[in-house]
Amino acid sequence: MVSEFRSLPSVDKLLSEERIRHLQEAYSRELIVDLIRRHLQQERLSIAAGKPCPSTQELVESICAQVYSLINPSLRPVINATGVILHTNLGRAALSKEAITAMDAVAGGYCNLEFDLDSGRRGSRHTHVEHILCQLTGAEAVLVVNNNASAVLLALTVLAKRKEVIVSRGQAVEIGGGFRIPDVMRQSGAKLIEVGTTNCTYTKDYEEAISPKTAALMRVHSSNFRQMGFIRVVSPEELVELGNQHDLPVFDDLGSGCLLDTTKFGLDAEPTLQQSISIGAGLVFSSGDKLMGGPQAGIIVGEKPLIDRLKRHPLARAVRIDKVRLAGLLATLIHYLKGEAESKVPVWRMISAPFKEIDRRASLWAEPLGGLARVVDGETMVGGGSLPGGTLPTRLVAIGEEGKRIQRSIAQALSQRLRGQGVPIIGRISGQVLFLDPRSVLLEEDRVVLKALGDAVASLERSR
Ligand SMILES: *Cc1c(COP(=O)(O)O)cnc(C)c1O
């Protein structure tokens, strides 16, 4: 073992290796020395554990690999051909050109984030989206924070701590990614009072649970699942009416942040912010990066006295939104005001893309794949915690064949090669078939997709 330790090269010996010398020129010497030291330390531990000493070349190799992985950002763009438009793991909504330009404009310098250009005095970051969101939703007041989870946490903490919030048992749900209504409630210090049963809740269930400690009635939109069969839910209108009788606000967690009528696209009706406000909900919560199609944000619209209390609370400071996303959100909202969301906001462009165009693109994508691919009917999911079961007809490029063992490897191998492209293409494997859906990919990305498909097939053929 002692001799194994001795055969480990010194820091200086490694520094003099040619490839390491190049690294020092390209990056910082300090970084390289630090990495070498840590590597050697690691090797001493594994030798002590009985592992053999690596060769100098092996060490050089692994140090270089580590430098490259540190230097090349691991977060990078991919193309979402999964057929899930709002894919949380792939970053949810893609932004409009205008939103990106607006973000770019404030990112590189200063802006009047909290500065009133008229008076020359301190301003508030909340004013920038206030008028536009009030205009779009009919609300009295607005607060925009980091994301919807923090919006709900903020409201419950400020308005319901040490009090009770009544929620239907069928709505005490998990939205995904660790957002569970009972957990958020506990974290806020509010007590969750679950009423009704999993499938049925009636107005009287809420009514019987109202006590002097009740702070609010809450509705949570079941945004990522759907109940069928014998179900009874209390409509938001009925809930607001009950709230009015007892002088209690209704908190409406919508999630998706929808501002357009989804039935127009053949989808189920997704509740909109403006509907909740017109019904009389006290506070309405939603994400910025789901159906709103903007950057990550939490949007709270509702009654001014309630919103004012949220704004004054220290937690509002802890979950505030930054200037870059605020600029992106503002530009996104302007599309709705101008009535151009369908043609400018990528989420809506994808949803409203004509079937014929998708069909044409699927055939185009299938070309470089030759005999490997077929074009088949399929369904695009809106996803991202909106429109559970809401799908749009689409045309898919299908690679591999159900039930054919031999084809399996083709679907897997091609999928792996597509993920390995300069801009990785992410598809969906179901059974033994790789599906690629043009609907969740923007038209202007087709060139990149076609090149990647060609390269992946060529690489597949070389390896066979
Ligand atoms: C998505 C969702 C959330 C969480 O929103 P984030 O913006 O991801 O924090 C909360 N509630 C509902 C109903 C949702 O759909």
Side-chain angles (χ1 to χ4, degrees):
M1 187 123 85
V2 175
S3 68
E4 289 281 304
F5 280 122
R6 282 219 189 98
S7 43
L8 263 184
S10 66
V11 174
D12 283 339
K13 165 91 177 66
L14 284 168
L15 281 172
S16 67
E17 286 290 319
E18 183 171 351
R19 288 181 63 195
I20 303 268
R21 279 212 318 272
H22 286 311
L23 283 182
Q24 288 175 71
E25 282 158 24
Y27 310 111
S28 103
R29 183 184 152 91
E30 266 175 33
L31 168 69
I32 309 300
V33 172
D34 186 53
L35 288 179
I36 292 176
R37 289 224 168 93
R38 288 210 243 164
H39 246 85
L40 291 175
Q41 183 56 28
Q42 203 58 47
E43 290 305 338
R44 276 183 213 107
L45 290 177
S46 57
I47 292 170
K51 303 248 171 65
C53 175
S55 72
T56 301
Q57 277 325 300
E58 281 167 339
L59 277 169
V60 169
E61 194 59 48
S62 78
I63 290 164
C64 288
Q66 198 182 1
V67 172
Y68 295 136
S69 88
L70 280 173
I71 297 297
N72 292 312
S74 82
L75 180 66
R76 51 199 187 108
V78 305
I79 284 178
N80 171 17
T82 60
V84 179
I85 293 178
L86 293 164
H87 199 304
T88 299
N89 301 148
L90 300 181
R92 289 198 187 150
L95 301 177
S96 74
K97 295 269 179 309
E98 289 77 2
I100 296 163
T101 305
M103 292 167 94
D104 192 52
V106 299
Y110 300 102
C111 62
N112 61 336
L113 180 65
E114 293 184 348
F115 185 78
D116 184 345
L117 290 172
D118 287 333
S119 67
R121 298 217 184 91
R122 192 198 157 121
S124 157
R125 75 179 59 213
H126 303 308
T127 55
H128 302 286
V129 283
E130 198 141 55
H131 295 306
I132 190 164
L133 268 169
C134 288
Q135 178 66 38
L136 287 168
T137 66
E140 285 174 12
V142 173
L143 176 60
V144 175
V145 294
N146 179 58
N147 61 357
N148 194 22
S150 57
V152 174
L153 179 65
L154 174 67
L156 292 174
T157 307
V158 179
L159 303 170
K161 191 174 196 158
R162 287 190 285 276
K163 293 191 189 146
E164 298 174 349
V165 177
I166 305 174
V167 180
S168 157
R169 196 171 296 269
Q171 295 175 5
V173 296
E174 172 169 329
I175 308 297
F179 184 84
R180 289 177 156 197
I181 291 298
D183 294 344
V184 177
M185 208 63 89
R186 198 171 311 115
Q187 185 62 41
S188 72
K191 184 166 177 200
L192 169 66
I193 305 292
E194 278 184 43
V195 296
T197 60
T198 305
N199 58 329
C200 293
T201 306
Y202 304 92
T203 307
K204 72 169 175 20
D205 294 323
Y206 287 93
E207 193 157 23
E208 282 166 11
I210 293 175
S211 81
K213 296 193 80 181
T214 308
L217 310 176
M218 183 158 176
R219 176 175 84 133
V220 183
H221 180 46
S222 59
S223 54
N224 55 357
F225 72 103
R226 187 193 246 167
Q227 284 189 320
M228 282 193 288
F230 181 52
I231 52 165
R232 290 289 178 276
V233 291
V234 175
S235 72
E237 289 88 341
E238 291 168 303
L239 206 56
V240 168
E241 197 185 313
L242 181 66
N244 287 343
Q245 284 163 17
H246 296 265
D247 205 16
L248 291 170
V250 168
F251 293 173
D252 196 6
D253 182 11
L254 284 185
S256 76
C258 189
L259 292 165
L260 297 183
D261 175 9
T262 46
T263 60
K264 196 166 115 180
F265 308 101
L267 291 164
D268 289 349
E270 177 76 8
T272 62
L273 294 175
Q274 52 275 34
Q275 275 166 358
S276 290
I277 292 296
S278 77
I279 289 163
L283 290 179
V284 184
F285 306 90
S286 72
S287 296
D289 55 353
K290 292 183 180 171
L291 282 177
M292 198 171 276
Q296 181 188 303
I299 315 256
I300 314 173
V301 292
E303 293 169 6
K304 190 163 183 329
L306 298 177
I307 298 265
D308 282 344
R309 286 180 62 194
L310 301 188
K311 282 183 182 166
R312 286 196 301 267
H313 194 274
L315 192 57
R317 170 66 177 76
V319 297
R320 76 182 183 187
I321 189 167
D322 72 290
K323 62 177 177 178
V324 178
R325 285 187 289 141
L326 198 56
L329 180 64
L330 190 50
T332 305
L333 292 171
I334 290 172
H335 292 311
Y336 289 93
L337 214 55
K338 288 172 143 178
E340 60 181 26
E342 247 173 75
S343 62
K344 298 276 190 172
V345 177
V347 171
W348 293 107
R349 283 178 57 198
M350 290 169 182
I351 289 175
S352 65
F355 184 80
K356 258 189 148 159
E357 181 186 294
I358 306 277
D359 181 45
R360 183 188 57 76
R361 293 172 63 201
S363 303
L364 192 68
W365 287 19
E367 268 172 35
L369 296 166
L372 292 176
R374 303 161 285 138
V375 175
V376 299
D377 282 328
E379 287 182 335
T380 307
M381 283 184 19
V382 177
S386 61
L387 295 159
T391 60
L392 293 155
T394 194
R395 293 283 280 167
L396 302 167
V397 178
I399 299 126
E401 237 171 276
E402 210 69 64
K404 280 205 181 167
R405 288 299 298 171
I406 180 158
Q407 296 279 3
R408 182 196 173 86
S409 61
I410 292 180
Q412 297 281 1
L414 193 70
S415 153
Q416 190 194 357
R417 279 173 170 76
L418 286 172
R419 288 198 310 274
Q421 296 294 314
V423 181
I425 317 273
I426 317 293
R428 166 166 48 103
I429 290 194
S430 168
Q432 298 168 21
V433 185
L434 168 65
F435 292 104
L436 303 174
D437 186 350
R439 192 188 280 280
S440 57
V441 177
L442 290 171
L443 196 59
E444 50 275 27
E445 293 176 317
D446 270 7
R447 268 195 18 233
V448 181
V449 175
L450 288 174
K451 169 145 193 342
L453 287 171
D455 290 350
V457 168
S459 139
L460 197 64
E461 272 161 9
R462 273 198 306 277
S463 73
R464 282 203 283 175

